[in-house]
Amino acid sequence: MKMLENKILSFENWSRPWTFHDFVMEDKTLTKNELNLFSEIWIKASDFELWNESDLILGSKASEKVIKKNYYLTTQAIANIVRAISYQWK
């Protein structure tokens, strides 16, 4: 989990946030389990029910809450995931 979290935290290309998901998923140093875990987190945190409000702040808070409840990640790693997802809903 630490390697996955480090990868999430290392993303810096916020001028192109749509590349975040691939940035993580294409990392050859992550194990299959880590990639599967990231996919699971991404799917749950991107769920339509969390983001169907027109207010991105509400969607972000709901997504953050789901990740915090179900996964052991630092606050910054969660913020990076939610930030990347929020660009999909703009």
Side-chain angles (χ1 to χ4, degrees):
M1 179 77 131
K2 194 64 178 168
M3 291 286 293
L4 174 60
E5 186 169 74
N6 287 340
K7 185 64 177 181
I8 292 167
L9 292 172
S10 70
F11 184 78
E12 295 179 350
N13 194 4
W14 291 111
S15 63
R16 300 181 62 198
W18 59 89
T19 64
F20 176 82
H21 182 269
D22 289 343
F23 173 81
V24 175
M25 292 300 295
E26 293 174 0
D27 187 312
K28 303 294 185 216
T29 65
L30 296 176
T31 67
K32 184 175 181 174
N33 287 341
E34 289 168 322
L35 294 173
N36 288 339
L37 178 59
F38 179 72
S39 290
E40 178 183 311
I41 294 167
W42 187 266
I43 289 167
K44 286 184 179 181
S46 299
D47 187 72
F48 173 79
E49 293 300 319
L50 301 174
W51 293 93
N52 66 356
E53 299 288 333
S54 60
D55 188 336
L56 282 178
I57 293 172
L58 294 176
S60 294
K61 286 181 181 180
S63 184
E64 179 183 325
K65 185 176 177 180
V66 164
I67 298 171
K68 279 184 181 178
K69 180 180 176 184
N70 294 292
Y71 305 97
Y72 184 71
L73 291 170
T74 63
T75 302
Q76 188 57 51
I78 294 170
N80 280 9
I81 294 168
V82 171
R83 183 177 181 184
I85 291 169
S86 72
Y87 282 95
Q88 294 182 345
W89 291 94
K90 280 189 174 183

